[in-house]
Amino acid sequence: MILIHCPYCDEKRPEIEFANAGQAHIARPFDPSGQSDADWEAYLFIRANPRGRHHERWRHVHGCGRFFNAVRDTVTDKFETTYKAGEPRR
Amino acid sequence: MSGFRLETGGRVDRSQPVQFSFDGKSYQGFAGDSLASALLANGVMLFGRSFKYHRPRGLVAAGSEEPNALISVHRGPGRFTPNLRATGVEIHDGLNATSQNRWPSLAMDFGAINDRLGMFFPAGFYNKTFMWPRSFWDRVYEPAIRKIAGLGDAPTAEDPDVYASTYAHCDLLIIGAGPAGIDAALGAMDTNKRIVLIDEQDELGGGALADPALWPWLERSVKALTEAPNVTILNRTTAFGYYHDNFIGAVQRLTDHLPDITDAPREKLWRIRAGEVVLAQGAIERPLVFDGNDTPGVMLSSAAKVYANRYGVAVGKALTLMASHDSGWHDVFALAKAGLGISAIIDVRESVDSALMLEAERLGITIHLHHGVVGVNGRHGVTSVDICNYGDQRVHRVETDALLMAGGWTPSVHLWSHSKGSLKWRDDLGAYVPDQPNENVHCVGGCSGDWDFGTGAVVDALPTPKDQSRIKAFVDFQNDVTAKDIKLAVREGFRSIEHIKRYTTNGMATDQGKTSNLNGLQIASSALNKPVPDIGLTSFRPPYTPQTFGALAGHAKGALFQPTRTTNIDSWAEEHSAIFELVAQWRRARYFPKSGEDMHAAVNRECVAVRSSVGIFDASTLGKIEVVGPDAAEFLNRMYTNPWKALEPGRCRYGLLLKEDGFITDDGVSARLAPDRFHLTTTTGGAARVLNMMEDYLQTEWPDLDVWLTSTTEQYAVIALQGPNARKVLEPLVEGIDLSAEAFPHMAIREGTICGLETRLFRVSFTGELGFEINVPTAFGRAVWEQLMAQGAQYDITPYGTEAMHVLRAEKGFIIVGQDTDGTVTPFDAGLDWAVGKKKPDFVGKRSMARPDIVAPGRKQLVGLLTDDPNVVLEEGAQIVADPNQPIPMTMIGHVTSSYWSETLGRSIAMALVAGGHDMTGGTLHIPMPGKTHTAKVSGVVFYDPEGARLHV
Ligand SMILES: [Zn+2]
């Protein structure tokens, strides 16, 4: 069971306290109605699914409740880093 | 020597005899014996029948790698454990063990006919033979195969034992308490580290238990470790899996070795998080591959040493060694020292260390270098072996009753591999050893490839002059895989060891190939003419050895499998004979049958009561979220499809929640209590999901909004009072709220008191009748319910359950999200476009409602169905077709989502999702059901009081 560092609690806690929330740094368009079908499709459905370094969102759902960002290697399952929502991509 | 028990030696306690039984026959052993050693001491050589060919099998090993001696232990009703290795079962008075996979008896087994037919059972046999006709598989082939092939029987009775579990944390976890593990523990003992030392056997020591010279050291070491306050010793404990971040799963066996059954936990699951892990799992000796190597009496040479030195048991009276490694010679010298008779040493090598030769000669043992065993005589036990001189190819016979195999050593890298540590191939060992770690872990002793018992030659299978097609040289004893099977797989085109493994099933038995993987690899490597590292290594996966479901489940079974959520009113329902159902994790009253009523009758009565007088319903399970803050209205306006900013305090609104993909995910009525405060309700099952979704948008998309979300589901008990007499029941109990229709209209909320308690009183209806939902602090739910029951008695107030609630809402065409929608239904599909704010520039899911697929024609849309025969209640889930005479398979255009008998309407009603359904009103559809295809007319979904006149009274 992986240990995940919550950047808000600043503690490494067991995986069961967290929930994955999909790929990170996909901002909801400011004006969705102004989006073309293709742009909206890309926002809604198209995800990176990389082999290796992956930016994703987690929520410390059974802890502080905050959403945060993480860089995880999808091959080794190791977390490279975690950081608060709103901070620049690492 | 009495029988096979040596006069002296071993660690068994000869002053403590133990009576046990095997296959119904009584035997005596000593305290400290394993079932294997005790049976061996009684001259039992036959332990089981092999998986496929039903060949007689004896012991190969003395430890947990044993592939053959799988037995069942019976400890009374529900306490039946199959597939235990006899080598790991400690005997106790009354132990009742049986052999497996034989009928009618171990010595005379009907299935052994498979062995005579062996040439017809090559690799991939099942895949090749039982393919046609397809219908034969379920009815003929599989039942027949299951009867004759297989391991122990699965238990059928419920397990009455309890299982404990715990979490543990330590600085240093050492797995394996052989000499290397004990040394590691001693080395760290004087630090301030918290140390856990795990070993799978009853006694610490590992290989040292079979080496009397080490016993004084062992005794001192175990004493020191036992006394050390920072060392926790877990014996009879198997570390079965190594997971991320040094998280290790281990099962400790607590009571199976004791004669009496108590209510103490049988096993304990340890979940250990370690700062650092030391793996000292040792190495497993490798069998040699030759014709007849599975005959009872052929075993690993190291095992013979364990039986003699640890248990005081001789595996035979005249032993022969077949070696490719020095370690076998050392074992034989130790056996000779223990008083066993040695017939001969055979070694494939042309020369060995002269010191070995000298010692063997000194002991008077005949030596055959550059020879190999090519045949084993005897069916239920070795009587002699045929050996071949690899120089002149001459074969001659050696009389012996036990043949020991010394084929070199395989480091136990199982847990290392679980931890994703890399491996490197060592040609000199013919084995993979640990290379780069992936966690804070390192290996010591045998499992790192570090041992002091000499060198050897690496051979795949022993050369033989015999016709290869006539011999059975086993690689995987438990799954009955021969060298020939692996070569056949290669001839048939398999190249990767992962494919060869699955085709031949080599290494796929319950022992996961502990004795067979490396031999299988070597044989495949030779057949492919490629070095071993080029064909890979199969993966090791947890568990290291099989573990019980009981230990893994722990307390999480029966009523404790998952928590049942109950409301404050649940106890009243139980006292009043409610029949319950689970909705998400909530236990809800489904209906309240009176004496003699079935569900149908009870639900009809409850529905009629609500429509004609008044009903009372426990709605406490509704999800509730308090939304507070200056931007609360703005936030809800962005989340929900309809406008919220203009909603006046004191009023309610039906909220429809979409996901960003435009599909309905939840709904509920919510109230504005103040400009900056809303009381939201969600579906019973959707509460947590909705709160998570709202938090997600609030925290990550609109962090500028000043809003707080709090789950209040469990803060309020909610009582729905529904029916034309609802106001009359409520009025005498409420203070501070004018209940008149003018002052308190439909879809409004008022705060005041009921029975002296603060209440949030909603005037809402999920039934189509005049209705109220009374929110009071949870702890007072039942008290208020009872007051309402007393007050309503004059109106024959009727408690109703979820089933009547479903009928009543369906009569009004109110959807249940998740029943009438399935995650692909838009507001338009559901006929809820009235709930979408057309003028709003944005809300979650709005943009998707304009996606090409969503606006395309032919989408499934929610409609009502009225069967032509009003007495037919369609099955929920039944498929719908346009033309019942079309050829099969028919084109299905939708399905029934809700269907009930409506006592109020005197007929059945249904809702359905039908492609293009909104354009079919008045048309006829066909619903094939078992026995008959029914016809129904498409209608709107509101079957009762379409004007809503009954609401506004
Ligand atoms: Zn946190």
Side-chain angles (χ1 to χ4, degrees), chain A residues 5-11 13 17-18 59-61 63-66 68:
Chain A
H5 179 260
C6 173
Y8 293 95
C9 297
D10 196 19
E11 271 198 54
R13 308 288 303 170
E17 293 183 11
F18 298 82
R59 185 180 183 206
H60 195 184
V61 61
C64 64
R66 303 302 298 268
F68 59 89

PDB file of all heavy atoms in Angstrom, chain A residues 5-11 13 17-18 59-61 63-66 68, ligand 1:
ATOM      1  N   HIS A   5       2.128  11.634   0.202  1.00  0.00           N
ATOM      2  CA  HIS A   5       2.363  12.851   0.986  1.00  0.00           C
ATOM      3  C   HIS A   5       1.284  13.868   0.654  1.00  0.00           C
ATOM      4  O   HIS A   5       1.158  14.309  -0.486  1.00  0.00           O
ATOM      5  CB  HIS A   5       3.749  13.415   0.661  1.00  0.00           C
ATOM      6  CG  HIS A   5       4.050  14.676   1.412  1.00  0.00           C
ATOM      7  ND1 HIS A   5       3.924  15.923   0.837  1.00  0.00           N
ATOM      8  CD2 HIS A   5       4.435  14.883   2.696  1.00  0.00           C
ATOM      9  CE1 HIS A   5       4.237  16.841   1.739  1.00  0.00           C
ATOM     10  NE2 HIS A   5       4.555  16.242   2.866  1.00  0.00           N
ATOM     11  N   CYS A   6       0.479  14.235   1.649  1.00  0.00           N
ATOM     12  CA  CYS A   6      -0.531  15.277   1.441  1.00  0.00           C
ATOM     13  C   CYS A   6       0.135  16.635   1.653  1.00  0.00           C
ATOM     14  O   CYS A   6       0.652  16.901   2.738  1.00  0.00           O
ATOM     15  CB  CYS A   6      -1.702  15.115   2.409  1.00  0.00           C
ATOM     16  SG  CYS A   6      -2.853  16.510   2.310  1.00  0.00           S
ATOM     17  N   PRO A   7       0.140  17.481   0.621  1.00  0.00           N
ATOM     18  CA  PRO A   7       0.843  18.766   0.771  1.00  0.00           C
ATOM     19  C   PRO A   7       0.121  19.713   1.721  1.00  0.00           C
ATOM     20  O   PRO A   7       0.713  20.691   2.168  1.00  0.00           O
ATOM     21  CB  PRO A   7       0.857  19.328  -0.662  1.00  0.00           C
ATOM     22  CG  PRO A   7      -0.269  18.659  -1.357  1.00  0.00           C
ATOM     23  CD  PRO A   7      -0.451  17.312  -0.709  1.00  0.00           C
ATOM     24  N   TYR A   8      -1.122  19.449   2.044  1.00  0.00           N
ATOM     25  CA  TYR A   8      -1.841  20.305   2.996  1.00  0.00           C
ATOM     26  C   TYR A   8      -1.580  19.847   4.426  1.00  0.00           C
ATOM     27  O   TYR A   8      -1.284  20.634   5.305  1.00  0.00           O
ATOM     28  CB  TYR A   8      -3.344  20.310   2.688  1.00  0.00           C
ATOM     29  CG  TYR A   8      -3.652  20.991   1.377  1.00  0.00           C
ATOM     30  CD1 TYR A   8      -3.790  20.265   0.205  1.00  0.00           C
ATOM     31  CD2 TYR A   8      -3.754  22.382   1.311  1.00  0.00           C
ATOM     32  CE1 TYR A   8      -4.048  20.899  -1.009  1.00  0.00           C
ATOM     33  CE2 TYR A   8      -4.009  23.015   0.099  1.00  0.00           C
ATOM     34  CZ  TYR A   8      -4.157  22.276  -1.047  1.00  0.00           C
ATOM     35  OH  TYR A   8      -4.398  22.899  -2.238  1.00  0.00           O
ATOM     36  N   CYS A   9      -1.667  18.529   4.665  1.00  0.00           N
ATOM     37  CA  CYS A   9      -1.382  18.002   6.003  1.00  0.00           C
ATOM     38  C   CYS A   9       0.121  17.922   6.245  1.00  0.00           C
ATOM     39  O   CYS A   9       0.570  17.792   7.374  1.00  0.00           O
ATOM     40  CB  CYS A   9      -1.985  16.609   6.169  1.00  0.00           C
ATOM     41  SG  CYS A   9      -3.763  16.574   6.047  1.00  0.00           S
ATOM     42  N   ASP A  10       0.892  17.928   5.151  1.00  0.00           N
ATOM     43  CA  ASP A  10       2.341  17.759   5.203  1.00  0.00           C
ATOM     44  C   ASP A  10       2.720  16.473   5.940  1.00  0.00           C
ATOM     45  O   ASP A  10       3.563  16.454   6.825  1.00  0.00           O
ATOM     46  CB  ASP A  10       3.021  18.972   5.846  1.00  0.00           C
ATOM     47  CG  ASP A  10       4.526  18.993   5.546  1.00  0.00           C
ATOM     48  OD1 ASP A  10       4.936  18.305   4.587  1.00  0.00           O
ATOM     49  OD2 ASP A  10       5.272  19.675   6.276  1.00  0.00           O
ATOM     50  N   GLU A  11       2.030  15.405   5.559  1.00  0.00           N
ATOM     51  CA  GLU A  11       2.329  14.095   6.150  1.00  0.00           C
ATOM     52  C   GLU A  11       2.187  13.025   5.087  1.00  0.00           C
ATOM     53  O   GLU A  11       1.353  13.143   4.196  1.00  0.00           O
ATOM     54  CB  GLU A  11       1.322  13.783   7.270  1.00  0.00           C
ATOM     55  CG  GLU A  11       1.726  14.267   8.629  1.00  0.00           C
ATOM     56  CD  GLU A  11       0.927  13.553   9.709  1.00  0.00           C
ATOM     57  OE1 GLU A  11       0.932  12.309   9.722  1.00  0.00           O
ATOM     58  OE2 GLU A  11       0.291  14.248  10.515  1.00  0.00           O
ATOM     59  N   ARG A  13       0.720   9.596   4.303  1.00  0.00           N
ATOM     60  CA  ARG A  13      -0.371   8.803   4.854  1.00  0.00           C
ATOM     61  C   ARG A  13      -0.670   7.644   3.909  1.00  0.00           C
ATOM     62  O   ARG A  13      -0.403   7.724   2.716  1.00  0.00           O
ATOM     63  CB  ARG A  13      -1.632   9.665   5.029  1.00  0.00           C
ATOM     64  CG  ARG A  13      -1.411  10.953   5.800  1.00  0.00           C
ATOM     65  CD  ARG A  13      -1.177  10.713   7.281  1.00  0.00           C
ATOM     66  NE  ARG A  13      -2.280   9.982   7.902  1.00  0.00           N
ATOM     67  CZ  ARG A  13      -2.231   9.491   9.138  1.00  0.00           C
ATOM     68  NH1 ARG A  13      -1.137   9.622   9.865  1.00  0.00           N
ATOM     69  NH2 ARG A  13      -3.266   8.856   9.630  1.00  0.00           N
ATOM     70  N   GLU A  17      -6.441   6.467   2.536  1.00  0.00           N
ATOM     71  CA  GLU A  17      -7.044   7.741   2.935  1.00  0.00           C
ATOM     72  C   GLU A  17      -7.329   8.638   1.731  1.00  0.00           C
ATOM     73  O   GLU A  17      -7.925   9.700   1.886  1.00  0.00           O
ATOM     74  CB  GLU A  17      -6.103   8.485   3.897  1.00  0.00           C
ATOM     75  CG  GLU A  17      -5.933   7.805   5.238  1.00  0.00           C
ATOM     76  CD  GLU A  17      -5.058   8.614   6.196  1.00  0.00           C
ATOM     77  OE1 GLU A  17      -4.746   9.783   5.904  1.00  0.00           O
ATOM     78  OE2 GLU A  17      -4.679   8.046   7.242  1.00  0.00           O
ATOM     79  N   PHE A  18      -6.872   8.198   0.546  1.00  0.00           N
ATOM     80  CA  PHE A  18      -6.923   9.088  -0.618  1.00  0.00           C
ATOM     81  C   PHE A  18      -7.790   8.502  -1.724  1.00  0.00           C
ATOM     82  O   PHE A  18      -8.019   7.303  -1.782  1.00  0.00           O
ATOM     83  CB  PHE A  18      -5.507   9.304  -1.170  1.00  0.00           C
ATOM     84  CG  PHE A  18      -4.558   9.960  -0.211  1.00  0.00           C
ATOM     85  CD1 PHE A  18      -3.902   9.214   0.769  1.00  0.00           C
ATOM     86  CD2 PHE A  18      -4.330  11.326  -0.278  1.00  0.00           C
ATOM     87  CE1 PHE A  18      -3.024   9.816   1.665  1.00  0.00           C
ATOM     88  CE2 PHE A  18      -3.452  11.940   0.619  1.00  0.00           C
ATOM     89  CZ  PHE A  18      -2.796  11.186   1.592  1.00  0.00           C
ATOM     90  N   ARG A  59      -7.330  13.311  -3.935  1.00  0.00           N
ATOM     91  CA  ARG A  59      -8.028  14.008  -2.855  1.00  0.00           C
ATOM     92  C   ARG A  59      -7.761  13.258  -1.551  1.00  0.00           C
ATOM     93  O   ARG A  59      -7.890  12.034  -1.486  1.00  0.00           O
ATOM     94  CB  ARG A  59      -9.541  14.038  -3.128  1.00  0.00           C
ATOM     95  CG  ARG A  59     -10.258  14.858  -2.068  1.00  0.00           C
ATOM     96  CD  ARG A  59     -11.762  14.945  -2.265  1.00  0.00           C
ATOM     97  NE  ARG A  59     -12.306  15.814  -1.218  1.00  0.00           N
ATOM     98  CZ  ARG A  59     -13.548  15.755  -0.762  1.00  0.00           C
ATOM     99  NH1 ARG A  59     -14.413  14.897  -1.278  1.00  0.00           N
ATOM    100  NH2 ARG A  59     -13.948  16.561   0.206  1.00  0.00           N
ATOM    101  N   HIS A  60      -7.394  14.018  -0.537  1.00  0.00           N
ATOM    102  CA  HIS A  60      -7.186  13.419   0.792  1.00  0.00           C
ATOM    103  C   HIS A  60      -8.557  13.275   1.433  1.00  0.00           C
ATOM    104  O   HIS A  60      -8.885  13.959   2.415  1.00  0.00           O
ATOM    105  CB  HIS A  60      -6.259  14.308   1.618  1.00  0.00           C
ATOM    106  CG  HIS A  60      -5.706  13.611   2.827  1.00  0.00           C
ATOM    107  ND1 HIS A  60      -4.914  14.221   3.762  1.00  0.00           N
ATOM    108  CD2 HIS A  60      -5.825  12.328   3.248  1.00  0.00           C
ATOM    109  CE1 HIS A  60      -4.588  13.368   4.715  1.00  0.00           C
ATOM    110  NE2 HIS A  60      -5.140  12.201   4.422  1.00  0.00           N
ATOM    111  N   VAL A  61      -9.327  12.357   0.842  1.00  0.00           N
ATOM    112  CA  VAL A  61     -10.765  12.343   1.119  1.00  0.00           C
ATOM    113  C   VAL A  61     -11.063  11.923   2.554  1.00  0.00           C
ATOM    114  O   VAL A  61     -12.016  12.420   3.161  1.00  0.00           O
ATOM    115  CB  VAL A  61     -11.499  11.463   0.079  1.00  0.00           C
ATOM    116  CG1 VAL A  61     -11.027  10.028   0.131  1.00  0.00           C
ATOM    117  CG2 VAL A  61     -13.001  11.546   0.241  1.00  0.00           C
ATOM    118  N   GLY A  63      -9.055  12.507   5.033  1.00  0.00           N
ATOM    119  CA  GLY A  63      -8.159  13.298   5.872  1.00  0.00           C
ATOM    120  C   GLY A  63      -8.670  14.725   5.846  1.00  0.00           C
ATOM    121  O   GLY A  63      -9.796  15.001   6.262  1.00  0.00           O
ATOM    122  N   CYS A  64      -7.885  15.624   5.262  1.00  0.00           N
ATOM    123  CA  CYS A  64      -8.251  17.030   5.261  1.00  0.00           C
ATOM    124  C   CYS A  64      -9.285  17.359   4.193  1.00  0.00           C
ATOM    125  O   CYS A  64      -9.835  18.461   4.193  1.00  0.00           O
ATOM    126  CB  CYS A  64      -7.000  17.885   5.058  1.00  0.00           C
ATOM    127  SG  CYS A  64      -6.219  17.612   3.455  1.00  0.00           S
ATOM    128  N   GLY A  65      -9.498  16.455   3.248  1.00  0.00           N
ATOM    129  CA  GLY A  65     -10.523  16.686   2.230  1.00  0.00           C
ATOM    130  C   GLY A  65     -10.063  17.509   1.042  1.00  0.00           C
ATOM    131  O   GLY A  65     -10.850  17.779   0.132  1.00  0.00           O
ATOM    132  N   ARG A  66      -8.778  17.889   1.024  1.00  0.00           N
ATOM    133  CA  ARG A  66      -8.316  18.771  -0.048  1.00  0.00           C
ATOM    134  C   ARG A  66      -7.892  18.000  -1.292  1.00  0.00           C
ATOM    135  O   ARG A  66      -7.338  16.905  -1.202  1.00  0.00           O
ATOM    136  CB  ARG A  66      -7.111  19.621   0.427  1.00  0.00           C
ATOM    137  CG  ARG A  66      -7.373  20.462   1.645  1.00  0.00           C
ATOM    138  CD  ARG A  66      -8.521  21.445   1.472  1.00  0.00           C
ATOM    139  NE  ARG A  66      -8.289  22.425   0.406  1.00  0.00           N
ATOM    140  CZ  ARG A  66      -7.733  23.613   0.590  1.00  0.00           C
ATOM    141  NH1 ARG A  66      -7.328  23.985   1.776  1.00  0.00           N
ATOM    142  NH2 ARG A  66      -7.584  24.443  -0.426  1.00  0.00           N
ATOM    143  N   PHE A  68      -5.304  17.833  -4.422  1.00  0.00           N
ATOM    144  CA  PHE A  68      -3.955  18.327  -4.706  1.00  0.00           C
ATOM    145  C   PHE A  68      -3.427  17.618  -5.940  1.00  0.00           C
ATOM    146  O   PHE A  68      -4.054  16.697  -6.474  1.00  0.00           O
ATOM    147  CB  PHE A  68      -3.031  18.129  -3.496  1.00  0.00           C
ATOM    148  CG  PHE A  68      -2.893  16.687  -3.052  1.00  0.00           C
ATOM    149  CD1 PHE A  68      -1.916  15.865  -3.590  1.00  0.00           C
ATOM    150  CD2 PHE A  68      -3.746  16.162  -2.083  1.00  0.00           C
ATOM    151  CE1 PHE A  68      -1.789  14.544  -3.170  1.00  0.00           C
ATOM    152  CE2 PHE A  68      -3.625  14.840  -1.665  1.00  0.00           C
ATOM    153  CZ  PHE A  68      -2.647  14.028  -2.210  1.00  0.00           C
TER     154      PHE A  68
HETATM  155 ZN    ZN C   1      -4.444  16.161   3.882  1.00  0.00          ZN
END
